[in-house]
Amino acid sequence: MEYFVLASIGLAFLAYSISIRQLEIVEVTGPMFFVLVGMLIAFFIPEAPNESKYLNADLDKLLPLIELTLSIFLFTDAAKTKLSVLKHSFQYPSLLLFLALPLTLFSGITVASFMFTELTLVQAALVAIILTPTDAALSKGLLNSNQVPEKIREGINTESGLNDGLCVPVFLLLMLLAQEPEKSFSILSVAEIFVRELGLALFIAITAMAVFIPLIKFAMQRHYFSNNTSPFLVIGMAMAIFSIAQSVHSSGFIAVFVAGLIFDRFTEQTLREKLVEDSEHIADFTGLLIWCLFGFVCSYLVFPKLNWQIALFAILSVTALRIIPVMISLQFTNLKIKDRFTFAWFGPRGLASIVFTMMIIDTQIENKLQIATIAMTTILFSVFIHGMSTKPIADSYKK
């Protein structure tokens, strides 16, 4: 069976590579394609795996791979950020992070509590926080389009890079409350979690880049550097910074994004673009593998338990529960309605939500499979809804 799966994935990458232009024309993105591939593989496997066996097997091995892939995407996205543009329009990601994000979280908690009465308030909050972070990688068509104003592209990219890390402390706190519902947490202990997650992440990012950037420049001057290894350089930095931050119980996601911003600011453009572009190809490959795995899991976890409540919540989460808070938060800016809606619409759920979901499955929290099913259904809907709408919205900015 293993070789059947590997052969199927290999053929899928071959088909995707030779038909990528045609897929783009019909608005089929890489994640959409490989989610469908994962579902097809699950359909053709003769014996369906036992649910509990599948969900508990090798989770500890898969989770770090997904986390590292997300960390590489965050670093490369940050390293491509145009700080000169962001400096003049930082109000937009600030409003999205500090006003729209809490509104999205609270509206998600309210709707989840109302629709899923079997969940406790903390469990409903877990559903909401899992689905709060966004993934700019699923909006690449928009981010790479020169037709879309730079302030919108940079704002969406910055929000996506930072909201993962901001959600981590809240997620960890809620997970602790769900596992130990009788235990009380003081304001001091909550503040300690936030300081450790965010403060340490900033310190690690600044310290690491203060070492890595001069080292890269020194290697370039001495001609120690080889183009053959350029893809590994950025990946190595992202993996090291993420892993160091995680090992001291800080937010690796915040650390790598901030490190990417520093890398963008203090390295030459030609060198930076070469290193980032090469490393992105490896990250894209791993990311598509994860989407294939996600499609496979959906066949056994989502489809058998899908009902109208879960489907309705997923649609609301992808649309109204994101759009309304963002439109409110940007109401008093000088953005046009169309630009505000673009910000509001592009909040796709991706790798960060998958990481949080897998962490929930790996616990003993009551109703964990229900939480995972709701989250994965929403991610699945988001992949296709946002994937199919990226090109039409980007094209709408043509003059």
Side-chain angles (χ1 to χ4, degrees):
M1 185 181 77
E2 291 84 357
Y3 291 109
F4 166 76
V5 172
L6 290 173
S8 301
I9 295 172
L11 290 171
F13 271 105
L14 177 63
Y16 177 73
S17 300
I18 63 178
S19 61
I20 188 167
R21 291 189 184 276
Q22 286 69 33
L23 290 171
E24 287 175 351
I25 291 171
V26 295
E27 297 170 21
V28 175
T29 64
M32 289 167 60
F33 181 85
F34 280 92
V35 165
L36 291 172
V37 168
M39 292 177 181
L40 283 173
I41 291 172
F43 178 78
F44 285 108
I45 287 180
E47 295 179 3
N50 177 268
E51 182 185 87
S52 61
K53 178 184 175 184
Y54 174 79
L55 292 174
N56 293 324
D58 297 328
L59 259 183
D60 291 337
K61 297 175 184 176
L62 288 172
L63 186 57
L65 173 65
I66 298 173
E67 288 179 329
L68 287 172
T69 303
L70 176 58
S71 72
I72 296 166
F73 277 123
L74 289 173
F75 187 96
T76 55
D77 286 345
K80 292 188 298 181
T81 300
K82 295 180 180 177
L83 291 176
S84 58
V85 176
L86 193 58
K87 187 165 56 175
H88 298 293
S89 55
F90 194 74
Q91 58 172 317
Y92 307 133
S94 297
L95 288 169
L96 293 173
L97 290 168
F98 299 112
L99 183 56
L101 189 149
L103 289 174
T104 301
L105 176 59
F106 289 127
S107 60
I109 294 171
T110 303
V111 175
S113 300
F114 177 76
M115 293 187 65
F116 306 106
T117 54
E118 67 275 19
L119 299 181
T120 66
L121 181 62
V122 173
Q123 290 167 2
L126 276 172
V127 171
I129 194 65
I130 288 170
L131 298 173
T132 297
T134 59
D135 186 354
L138 294 179
S139 307
K140 271 196 171 180
L142 183 95
L143 299 181
N144 294 334
S145 173
N146 292 325
Q147 300 157 5
V148 181
E150 279 188 322
K151 61 185 179 183
I152 294 178
R153 288 183 281 144
E154 299 302 336
I156 290 172
N157 187 40
T158 304
E159 180 211 5
S160 173
L162 291 174
N163 65 11
D164 299 346
L166 292 176
C167 288
V168 168
V170 181
F171 172 75
L172 293 176
L173 179 62
L174 289 171
M175 199 162 65
L176 285 172
L177 288 171
Q179 290 181 98
E180 303 176 54
E182 284 124 24
K183 187 175 179 180
S184 60
F185 292 87
S186 65
I187 295 175
L188 187 62
S189 62
V190 172
E192 183 185 345
I193 292 174
F194 275 85
V195 170
R196 187 182 67 232
E197 290 288 329
L198 304 179
L200 264 178
L202 293 174
F203 174 77
I204 290 167
I206 294 168
T207 305
M209 297 315 291
V211 174
F212 291 153
I213 292 175
L215 192 62
I216 293 169
K217 291 180 178 178
F218 177 82
M220 289 288 292
Q221 290 168 357
R222 298 295 190 280
H223 302 288
Y224 297 157
F225 192 82
S226 169
N227 286 334
N228 295 348
T229 59
S230 62
F232 312 135
L233 194 148
V234 168
I235 290 175
M237 282 194 296
M239 289 177 64
I241 293 167
F242 175 82
S243 301
I244 291 169
Q246 292 292 107
S247 68
V248 295
H249 306 290
S250 179
S251 173
F253 301 128
I254 283 280
V256 291
F257 190 80
V258 172
L261 291 174
I262 296 170
F263 187 73
D264 171 56
R265 173 66 180 82
F266 293 102
T267 54
E268 296 176 6
Q269 183 177 353
T270 52
L271 172 64
R272 181 176 66 250
E273 288 178 350
K274 170 67 176 169
L275 294 177
V276 169
E277 184 180 353
D278 288 346
S279 63
E280 274 191 310
H281 296 314
I282 299 175
D284 284 340
F285 175 78
T286 313
L288 293 175
L289 280 177
I290 291 168
W291 284 116
C292 187
L293 172 66
F294 176 79
F296 184 86
V297 176
C298 284
S299 298
Y300 296 109
L301 181 61
V302 172
F303 295 150
K305 298 183 178 181
L306 187 62
N307 55 44
W308 71 267
Q309 289 106 322
I310 294 176
L312 178 60
F313 179 84
I315 293 170
L316 287 173
S317 180
V318 170
T319 56
L321 295 183
R322 159 77 183 184
I323 292 171
I324 295 172
V326 173
M327 293 295 282
I328 291 172
S329 68
L330 298 176
Q331 179 65 37
F332 299 104
T333 64
N334 57 2
L335 289 170
K336 298 176 183 177
I337 292 178
K338 179 181 178 179
D339 295 339
R340 293 205 299 270
F341 180 78
T342 302
F343 270 118
W345 181 254
F346 283 101
R349 285 25 169 230
L351 293 182
S353 296
I354 293 175
V355 168
F356 288 168
T357 304
M358 292 186 69
M359 289 173 71
I360 290 293
I361 293 172
D362 203 28
T363 66
Q364 299 303 316
I365 293 173
E366 189 179 355
N367 294 320
K368 67 178 184 179
L369 293 184
Q370 173 77 344
I371 294 169
T373 302
I374 297 167
M376 294 185 74
T377 304
T378 306
I379 298 167
L380 180 65
F381 282 25
S382 178
V383 168
F384 287 91
I385 290 173
H386 289 108
M388 290 186 291
S389 60
T390 296
K391 191 173 184 296
I393 292 179
D395 289 346
S396 72
Y397 280 91
K398 285 182 179 177
K399 293 182 179 179

